[in-house]
């Protein structure tokens, strides 16, 4: 695995730590700016919405910029946003800083996925993305606790400065270790946008948002569930979160090694397990031991599906930065909607366990959305067996399980994009010829 992918994974760690660390800085920020804790909580929503809306726009602006240069510019922008946040004397300046860092983070994520896809062979993309997405997992286990600890000893501004400094060092590492990848031929906005005519791609986006939203609907209310339902003391809560975080890291390693060969089975069985675990968790939350088991299993099987879902986006469409940035936007839609739906359910008096049931419903919907792809993969396997029987000998497999049906849609989308780019080139050439023929 190229070391450059590890460097990009560290960059993702910095960006995701900034996104989530506000959760650990709530009291300090509330006291500093004399606003309510709920108002400070909007900083998390602002960041997520910045990634949803602004990231794709910034990615479009950078389409014709060499990808390594774009990564460096985005890291520089992110560091500038962190510095602005660390020096903020007014709450709305901090909000602006969060918007700046969110824009840079979303575009960086999409371009980093595209670079990873270029640095490895097609049959290693899932494993490469597991290293990149590993930055998300480690941010949960190390980044958030570290930012909270720094805040407790040196103040919240020190947390912002620390992440900004680490991102600055990461920019130097990107400059030194990430190779300059060739720009794809005929890189045109029309070609990138034509990928979004693929209905299967939107189905994948929706599925990803549902499943991540399901996990975040539960995860966002772990703390009150642990203390008020399961009966744990407040001192046990960090350790329970550590169990969940450790599970995500272990699960990420496992799914990364299996993603390229068993993509669809991993997603189908993974979504099914997430649904089942959330249902069981809601039923056994009053039992401490069973709660710990449920949290550990959810950590192993929930967020670690992220690199598999990212690899599927590339399979059904292409490895361009815009497609992958929009995937990050879709995931952040889930990050916003899941906790919001859980909060609405609690406010309606449905109890602290209602977010678990909502998460289970969202995961089950994502599982149902996988049914067409799973059925198509099953038909592919049956067709291969039939061909083997007719020929009287073994038929070499055509690719990873479930790849054939989804690759067909991807090929069609890429062909359409190539035609659009070629048409654009032809029009530009014709206009140039017309201008030269004028007296």
């Amino acid at each position: 695995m190229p070391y450059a992918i590890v460097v990009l994974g560290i960059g993702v760690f910095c960006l995701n730590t900034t996104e989530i660390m506000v959760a650990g800085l709530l009291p300090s920020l509330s006291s500093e700016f004399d606003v309510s804790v709920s108002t400070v909580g909007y900083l998390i929503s602002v960041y997520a919405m910045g990634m949803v809306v602004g990231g794709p726009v910034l990615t479009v602006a950078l389409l014709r910029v060499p990808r390594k240069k774009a990564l460096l510019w985005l890291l520089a922008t992110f560091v500038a946003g962190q510095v602005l946040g660390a020096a903020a004397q007014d709450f709305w300046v901090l909000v602006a800083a969060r918007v700046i860092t969110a824009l840079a983070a979303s575009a960086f994520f999409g371009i980093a996925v595209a670079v990873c896809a270029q640095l490895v062979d097609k049959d290693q993309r899932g494993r490469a993305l597991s290293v990149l997405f590993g930055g998300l997992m480690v941010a949960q286990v190390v980044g958030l606790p570290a930012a909270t600890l720094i805040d407790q000893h040196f103040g919240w501004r020190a947390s912002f400065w620390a992440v900004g400094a680490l991102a600055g060092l990461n920019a130097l590492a990107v400059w030194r270790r990430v190779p300059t990848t060739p720009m794809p031929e005929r890189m045109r906005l029309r070609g990138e946008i034509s990928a979004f005519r693929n209905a299967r791609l939107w189905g994948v986006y929706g599925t990803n948002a549902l499943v991540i939203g399901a996990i975040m609907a539960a995860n966002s209310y772990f703390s009150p569930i642990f203390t008020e339902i399961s009966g744990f003391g407040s001192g046990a809560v960090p350790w329970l979160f550590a169990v969940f975080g450790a599970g995500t890291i272990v699960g990420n390693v496992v799914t990364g090694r299996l993603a390229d060969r068993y993509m669809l089975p991993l997603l189908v069985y993974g979504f099914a397990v997430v649904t089942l675990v959330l249902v069981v968790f809601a039923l056994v939350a009053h039992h401490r031991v069973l709660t710990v088991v449920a949290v550990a299993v959810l950590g192993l099987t929930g967020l670690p599906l992220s690199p598999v879902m990212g690899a599927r986006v590339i399979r059904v469409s292409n490895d361009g930065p815009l497609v992958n940035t929009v995937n990050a936007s879709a995931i952040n839609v889930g990050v916003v909607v899941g906790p919001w739906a859980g909060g609405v359910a609690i406010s309606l008096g449905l109890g602290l366990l209602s977010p678990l049931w909502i998460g289970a419903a969202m995961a089950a919907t994502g599982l149902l959305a996988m049914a067409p792809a799973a059925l198509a993969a099953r038909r592919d396997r049956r067709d291969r067996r039939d061909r083997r029987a007719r020929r009287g000998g073994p038929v070499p497999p055509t690719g990873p399980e479930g790849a054939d049906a989804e690759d067909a849609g991807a090929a069609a989308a890429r062909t359409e994009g190539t035609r659009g780019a070629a048409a654009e080139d032809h029009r530009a050439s014709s206009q140039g010829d017309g201008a030269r023929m004028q007296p």
Side-chain angles (χ1 to χ4, degrees), residues 199-227:
R200 192 187 299 270
L201 175 61
W202 289 103
V204 174
Y205 286 154
T207 302
N208 293 355
L210 281 168
V211 175
I212 295 300
I215 298 163
M216 296 308 298
N219 178 270
S220 300
Y221 300 96
F222 272 178
S223 185
I225 291 174
F226 292 154
T227 57

Side-chain angles (χ1 to χ4, degrees), residues 96-397:
R98 295 285 288 177
V99 171
I100 292 171
T101 52
L103 294 176
S106 182
F108 180 93
F109 186 87
I111 295 174
V113 170
V115 170
C116 285
Q118 284 187 292
L119 292 179
V120 297
D121 295 333
K122 288 185 177 181
D123 61 354
Q124 291 186 320
R125 285 176 172 175
R127 189 172 180 180
L129 291 185
S130 73
V131 175
L132 185 70
F133 281 80
L136 302 177
M137 319 300 171
V138 178
Q140 300 283 337
V141 182
V142 178
L144 176 57
T148 305
L149 188 65
I150 292 172
D151 167 46
Q152 293 172 351
H153 289 83
F154 305 102
W156 67 268
R157 296 182 190 275
S159 298
F160 274 74
W161 284 115
V163 177
L166 183 58
L169 292 174
N170 182 249
L172 292 176
V174 168
W175 175 61
R176 291 290 303 274
R177 306 306 292 261
V178 175
T180 300
T181 55
M183 292 287 288
E185 294 182 6
R186 280 200 278 263
M187 175 61 75
R188 296 287 189 273
L189 179 58
R190 179 186 295 273
E192 287 283 305
I193 290 182
S194 67
F196 297 104
R197 298 174 184 170
N198 182 358
R200 192 187 299 270
L201 175 61
W202 289 103
V204 174
Y205 286 154
T207 302
N208 293 355
L210 281 168
V211 175
I212 295 300
I215 298 163
M216 296 308 298
N219 178 270
S220 300
Y221 300 96
F222 272 178
S223 185
I225 291 174
F226 292 154
T227 57
E228 299 183 32
I229 303 296
S230 304
F232 287 101
S234 58
V237 172
W239 295 103
L240 291 168
F241 274 106
V243 169
F244 177 81
T248 64
I249 293 176
V250 174
N252 185 64
V253 173
V254 174
T255 57
R257 292 184 176 275
L258 300 176
D260 296 297
R261 185 63 187 168
Y262 303 104
M263 181 179 295
L264 283 180
L266 272 176
L267 292 175
V268 171
Y269 291 119
F271 293 174
V273 170
V274 169
T275 303
L276 180 61
V277 169
L278 288 172
V279 170
V280 171
F281 190 3
L283 295 174
V284 305
H286 293 87
H287 302 276
R288 295 186 183 182
V289 174
L290 295 178
T291 293
V292 174
V293 173
V295 169
V297 175
L298 186 62
L300 283 167
T301 58
L303 291 178
L305 293 173
S306 298
V308 191
M309 293 188 288
R312 187 174 178 229
V313 168
I314 294 175
R315 174 175 290 177
V316 303
S317 182
N318 60 60
D319 58 4
L322 185 56
V323 164
N324 290 290
T325 299
V326 174
N327 183 47
S329 297
I331 288 174
N332 275 278
V333 169
V335 170
V336 172
V337 172
W340 171 80
V344 169
I346 293 173
S347 66
L348 292 175
L350 299 179
L352 285 174
L353 294 179
S354 57
L356 300 180
W357 291 108
I358 288 174
M362 294 177 71
T365 305
L367 179 60
L368 289 175
M370 286 292 300
L375 291 174
R378 188 174 181 178
R379 286 195 298 269
D380 289 339
R381 291 195 299 272
R382 186 175 63 245
D383 291 343
R384 285 198 292 268
R385 285 196 300 268
D386 292 344
R387 290 196 300 270
R388 184 184 302 117
R390 287 195 298 269
R391 296 179 183 180
V395 176

Side-chain angles (χ1 to χ4, degrees), residues 55-76:
V57 175
L58 187 55
T59 302
V60 168
L62 294 173
L63 275 180
R64 298 187 182 183
V65 177
R67 290 175 179 174
K68 179 176 179 178
K69 182 180 292 186
L71 290 172
L72 291 172
W73 284 1
L74 291 169
L75 282 172

